[in-house]
Amino acid sequence: MIQVGVNGYGTIGKRVADAIRAQPDMAVAGVAKRSPNFEAKVALERGYPLYAVDGDRTDDFAAAGFDTAGTVDELVAGSDVVVDATPAGIGAENADLYREHDTPAIFQGGEDADVAEASFNARANYAAARGADAVRVVSCNTTGLSRLFAPIAEEFGIEKARVTLVRRGGDPGQTDRGPINDTLPDPVEIPSHHGPDLNTVFPDLDVDTMGMKVPATLMHTHSVNVTLASEADAESVRELLDAESRLALVPPELDIDGAGKLKEFAQDAGRPRGDCWENCIWGESVTVEGRDLYLFQAIHQEADVVPENVDAVRAVADTADREESTTLTEDALGLDGGIGGSLRDPARSPAVADGALDDD
Ligand code: NAD
């Protein structure tokens, strides 16, 4: 069993902890939190040992009625691998702590790439993270694009990619984020940071990205154009994407017109927290004109990096190759092709069926 500590138990950390717990070869050593809020209560109810980030705030946890198992230092010492899911920029500050304990660490996409030896996406470059001391799982948007571009590059080659990312203003719980009533070029500069971030995974990819922010919380939406290096037709692209376990083609007969219905569908299907771990690609949007491929995809920002974190744990622990790890991860979560599989039938999702991942 790989003992995994999760430092930072918010949007990403709580999902990663539940996904780790569902794996046959991993256990949650504990979770570290800064503040004794509702998520601390959830962690204890799920049986995760709770560690305080600041030793001098242990009393605050006690005052709120939450028992702590120790401080984050002890959690790191007792873990084989740490997943750092603290807010952007804090991970880099924690890097010394992990080094001191010689505990391999997995950082998130809010950190700069130089926090780690490798920027990671399981589909695109799993091998780069094997046995590494520090790995960064790229952001939700970069994860969604990496999963898409890896098979397209392998099958057809990519001459040039252009993506407009229509980004949610904040997560549902981020009541301090916006815009509330506007459509923002964000960042105004072109390319947005997403293109250079993709190059940390695909150094040779020629890609331009433009970012926007809109008053939405549920998902990001990508408008994608790829000039292929070789001829293809829409049906062969659809077949290629359909064969990828973390890409779900949304069929027109389901009448899903946006992120709202996608999330509703995931909730109806019993997905924990209504999570869509896969990219959701509108099958009808897959169009090829000459060598230009076009499509729309939705990315559930809170969820798509979760299976990637699980695979990153096996990669740094060097206990499995890509195929073994991704299969283990997906079987444990019940991620079997998404829209066509477990998302349609919750009984096929073992993590849900055995109650391991109850909804909040
Ligand atoms: P979050 O704010 O929801 O959760 C962070 C948690 O860490 C909170 O519980 C917070 O109390 C705790 N925390 C704060 N300071 C801490 C410290 N010093 N030590 C330990 N814990 C501390 O943040 P999040 O959205 O889960 O983001 C975490 C990371 O994941 C960031 O790098 C972010 O960029 C990245 N990420 C976020 C999303 C998303 O959409 N939310 C998607 C992909 C990647």
Side-chain angles (χ1 to χ4, degrees):
M1 282 287 191
I2 309 171
Q3 295 291 331
V4 184
V6 179
N7 188 15
Y9 190 76
T11 304
I12 300 300
K14 65 186 174 186
R15 287 172 166 82
V16 170
D18 290 352
I20 296 284
R21 181 171 65 169
Q23 305 304 309
D25 55 342
M26 296 182 196
V28 178
V31 304
K33 268 205 69 61
R34 190 177 185 81
S35 36
N37 66 359
F38 74 96
E39 279 156 337
K41 181 172 162 61
V42 171
L44 286 172
E45 283 173 356
R46 291 185 184 209
Y48 301 140
L50 182 63
Y51 291 79
V53 168
D54 299 326
D56 51 11
R57 290 190 73 181
T58 309
D59 289 348
D60 295 347
F61 282 88
F66 302 141
D67 289 334
T68 48
T71 62
V72 67
D73 214 68
E74 293 164 273
L75 174 62
V76 175
S79 301
D80 299 318
V81 178
V82 171
V83 176
D84 185 296
T86 60
I90 305 286
E93 293 174 15
N94 290 335
D96 281 345
L97 173 68
Y98 308 140
R99 270 194 292 269
E100 278 162 27
H101 288 284
D102 207 14
T103 306
I106 292 156
F107 297 95
Q108 307 304 311
E111 306 303 322
D112 291 339
D114 62 7
V115 76
E117 290 155 57
S119 288
F120 177 84
N121 172 258
R123 177 62 180 81
N125 68 347
Y126 183 97
R130 288 193 76 168
D133 290 328
V135 163
R136 180 181 73 120
V137 170
V138 289
S139 75
C140 45
N141 281 307
T142 307
T143 293
L145 290 169
S146 298
R147 288 174 177 171
L148 178 69
F149 288 159
I152 293 174
E154 285 164 17
E155 186 70 17
F156 305 113
I158 295 179
E159 191 175 298
K160 169 98 188 173
R162 302 167 191 84
V163 185
T164 301
L165 301 100
V166 181
R167 298 148 70 206
R168 55 78 176 117
D171 295 337
Q174 290 177 311
T175 45
D176 56 344
R177 295 274 289 258
I180 290 178
N181 181 27
D182 212 337
T183 302
L184 310 178
D186 186 294
V188 175
E189 298 80 27
I190 296 166
S192 65
H193 57 276
H194 307 94
D197 201 36
L198 269 163
N199 288 135
T200 66
V201 178
F202 303 91
D204 301 326
L205 180 69
D206 185 358
V207 57
D208 287 340
T209 53
M210 297 170 73
M212 300 177 71
K213 266 195 186 168
V214 297
T217 62
L218 299 179
M219 288 189 173
H220 304 297
T221 306
H222 296 169
S223 163
V224 179
N225 165 221
V226 180
T227 305
L228 304 170
S230 60
E231 299 287 332
D233 58 48
E235 200 41 47
S236 59
V237 175
R238 245 178 246 125
E239 277 170 22
L240 175 77
L241 303 184
D242 208 21
E244 293 285 319
S245 55
R246 295 184 191 179
L247 302 180
L249 285 187
V250 182
E253 58 272 20
L254 293 189
D255 200 17
I256 290 176
D257 60 3
K261 289 202 182 80
L262 276 170
K263 288 280 294 170
E264 192 75 8
F265 184 39
Q267 281 165 3
D268 288 349
R271 280 289 180 92
R273 300 183 176 91
D275 282 352
C276 296
W277 296 301
E278 312 87 339
N279 297 20
C280 299
I281 301 169
W282 276 274
E284 281 170 294
S285 73
V286 176
T287 300
V288 179
E289 300 279 350
R291 281 190 289 115
D292 272 320
L293 162 68
Y294 300 89
L295 59 84
F296 288 120
Q297 65 174 2
I299 300 296
H300 184 195
Q301 75 281 356
E302 299 167 298
D304 74 329
V305 298
V306 171
E308 309 300 324
N309 271 276
V310 175
D311 292 325
V313 168
R314 288 196 194 90
V316 300
D318 208 8
T319 57
D321 64 21
R322 168 165 78 94
E323 203 171 321
E324 288 164 335
S325 179
T326 53
T327 302
L328 276 170
T329 301
E330 291 164 11
D331 285 353
L333 289 176
L335 192 168
D336 58 356
I339 299 286
S342 61
L343 204 47
R344 189 175 290 165
D345 178 3
R348 292 177 64 188
S349 175
V352 173
D354 70 6
L357 288 175
D358 295 335
D359 207 343
D360 286 344

